[in-house]
Amino acid sequence: MTITGTAHRVGAHIDTDAIIPARFLVTTDAAELGANCMEGLEAGWIKRVKKNDIMVADENFGCGSSREHAPISLLGAGIPVVVAKSFARIFYRNGFNMGLILLEVGDDFKKLGDGDQLEVDAEKGTIKNITTGETITCAPVPPFMKEILDAGGLVDYVKKRMGN
């Protein structure tokens, strides 16, 4: 589970309404939501993002409402992983449930700059900053959470386990 992409840095306390504003919650289609990802923070933000780019955030990323649309919009935008100082509790659970990789790195998020090229290995718990050559470590994704991610999220995981 290694992902290489460009870092997109955001600040602290980015709430779910910044990630996907309420006016776009008329669909659950990942591509549609992704086209409007981060519109609550900066109009046109999505134009800078390429598939497999990586969100890097300060503390309490995903605070606010418990809408599942927020992690879906990140995935729809092509962002498979968010690295942050910390996550809001409900967003953390929703992210994994939707198939989004979330890695908490504490103050080491400061070592990941906007535009840096990163290589994230969620299974090993390593984030290599290719731009600076520095590697930071964090708790790896536990095996049972990896199974959920590999299935594409909790619903698909349950369907697979039930034989559907």
Side-chain angles (χ1 to χ4, degrees):
M1 184 181 318
T2 302
I3 297 159
T4 304
T6 301
H8 296 278
R9 263 299 278 273
V10 296
H13 311 291
I14 301 297
D15 65 27
T16 54
D17 201 49
I19 297 168
I20 187 69
R23 68 184 179 273
F24 300 113
L25 300 182
V26 296
T27 183
T28 56
D29 180 75
E32 272 188 64
L33 291 168
N36 297 295
C37 186
M38 303 306 285
E39 279 293 309
L41 184 66
E42 176 189 332
W45 181 89
I46 191 65
K47 294 176 184 170
R48 294 194 306 265
V49 176
K50 295 182 186 83
K51 185 176 175 23
N52 286 334
D53 279 355
I54 298 159
M55 177 77 75
V56 176
D58 199 332
E59 66 185 334
N60 202 27
F61 185 80
C63 58
S65 72
S66 63
R67 61 180 72 153
E68 291 87 0
H69 295 78
I72 294 170
S73 73
L74 288 162
L75 290 164
I79 298 171
V81 61
V82 180
V83 176
K85 179 176 182 176
S86 65
F87 294 94
R89 180 182 56 83
I90 293 172
F91 180 85
Y92 188 82
R93 190 66 233 181
N94 282 341
F96 277 101
N97 287 350
M98 297 298 123
L100 181 64
I101 302 166
L102 303 172
L103 298 173
E104 251 182 41
V105 297
D107 284 332
D108 280 346
F109 85 96
K110 295 174 185 174
K111 298 175 181 177
L112 308 172
D114 192 50
D116 286 355
Q117 290 298 304
L118 306 178
E119 181 182 270
V120 175
D121 188 328
E123 286 181 78
K124 291 181 182 173
T126 60
I127 302 152
K128 181 176 182 181
N129 188 329
I130 297 166
T131 303
T132 67
E134 188 165 10
T135 299
I136 61 175
T137 60
C138 62
V141 172
F144 73 96
M145 297 295 276
K146 183 183 176 312
E147 288 181 40
I148 293 171
L149 291 169
D150 288 346
L154 185 61
V155 171
D156 291 332
Y157 171 80
V158 170
K159 286 179 181 177
K160 182 179 173 185
R161 301 276 298 190
M162 300 298 288
N164 294 334

